[in-house]
Amino acid sequence: SQTIHQWPATLVQPVGSPLSLECTVEGTSNPNLYWYRQAAGRGLQLLFYSVGIGQISSEVPQNLSASRPQDRQFILSSKKLLLSDSGFYLCAWSVKGDTEAFFGQGTRLTVV
Amino acid sequence: EDQVTQSPEALRLQEGESSSLNCSYTVSGLRGLFWYRQDPGKGPEFLFTLYSAGEEKEKERLKATLTKKESFLHITAPKPEDSATYLCAVLSGGSYIPTFGRGTSLIVHP
């Protein structure tokens, strides 16, 4: 069966510090991968998605970047965090085609 | 542009009081509609996928239905453990990206 791992679960970082959130998927190959941010009462905002290794698409301009160094690994990064980067970050995967996405447990990021 | 609207934003029910959540959508060529449950501080948990009007899916006290313009999530005799936010999403056209609604926050009182 397929599983998705996302870590860390919570993170408190000072303004200006770097960020690296990692997500890995097991039990499938060549998945679509997604990074979302969820703000309270505002739904899920898509940040990045990837259909293959090294293929990253960004939905909104921001202080963040994403990379997919391996087939089932997706990394969200920032060189210098802003207060506005605080939020709940979710990684998700889906198989190719008209199918549902499956989410990780999320990372609560607080920038102080 | 695809639009997904969920209503109501919040719903309070007494245990055993059945009700329905609505997800209305405006898309060009629906390819799939998805329902999720999200508990506080957790990632969304997949519930159902519906592909065509008239389709229904059931799981325990939940039943999802689909028409050409909306989907309903019916909750029969809910229990307090059904309290959560329920999210709806659609996949349409040639996109890889599902469009999510803002969710309905359900609280079931014992």
Side-chain angles (χ1 to χ4, degrees):
Chain A
S1 64
Q2 301 89 0
T3 57
I4 180 170
H5 302 281
Q6 185 182 345
W7 67 93
T10 60
L11 192 59
V12 180
Q13 292 285 94
V15 168
S17 64
L19 173 73
S20 181
L21 302 181
E22 188 164 342
C23 172
T24 60
V25 181
E26 296 179 357
T28 188
S29 59
N30 195 27
N32 293 330
L33 296 172
Y34 311 85
W35 278 111
Y36 287 89
R37 179 166 57 202
Q38 188 175 35
R42 299 188 62 182
L44 289 165
Q45 179 189 30
L46 180 69
L47 302 176
F48 300 95
Y49 69 95
S50 171
V51 299
I53 296 175
Q55 300 178 63
I56 310 293
S57 297
S58 174
E59 287 293 298
V60 292
Q62 58 210 325
N63 187 41
L64 302 169
S65 62
S67 63
R68 184 170 177 173
Q70 300 181 41
D71 182 44
R72 291 168 290 176
Q73 184 184 28
F74 207 21
I75 298 172
L76 183 68
S77 303
S78 173
K79 293 182 179 179
K80 290 186 178 181
L81 284 168
L82 306 173
L83 287 174
S84 58
D85 292 323
S86 294
F88 191 51
Y89 289 83
L90 289 158
C91 180
W93 72 274
S94 68
V95 300
K96 299 294 190 286
D98 301 340
T99 63
E100 59 277 357
F102 297 93
F103 286 83
Q105 286 302 294
T107 296
R108 174 69 60 188
L109 172 66
T110 304
V111 182
V112 296
Chain B
E1 182 179 333
D2 296 348
Q3 290 191 338
V4 179
T5 304
Q6 292 189 246
S7 62
E9 290 186 12
L11 182 61
R12 293 178 179 268
L13 299 173
Q14 288 297 126
E15 185 172 1
E17 180 186 2
S18 301
S19 188
S20 297
L21 312 183
N22 178 264
C23 171
S24 62
Y25 59 90
T26 305
V27 300
S28 54
L30 181 71
R31 288 162 43 211
L33 184 141
F34 315 106
W35 281 99
Y36 293 85
R37 170 196 170 121
Q38 187 175 23
D39 293 304
K42 303 290 186 181
E45 174 190 350
F46 169 71
L47 293 174
F48 304 110
T49 299
L50 301 168
Y51 289 111
S52 57
E55 191 175 358
E56 299 183 353
K57 293 275 181 74
E58 285 190 69
K59 180 181 179 180
E60 296 180 353
R61 295 177 292 282
L62 300 176
K63 183 168 82 171
T65 62
L66 181 65
T67 72
K68 289 186 177 180
K69 293 185 177 182
E70 58 192 348
S71 176
F72 291 94
L73 185 65
H74 307 276
I75 304 177
T76 302
K79 297 182 178 182
E81 53 262 41
D82 295 322
S83 298
T85 295
Y86 291 86
L87 298 169
C88 169
V90 299
L91 195 60
S92 66
S95 176
Y96 301 106
I97 313 302
T99 300
F100 279 84
R102 293 190 173 192
T104 294
S105 174
L106 173 66
I107 297 176
V108 182
H109 297 284

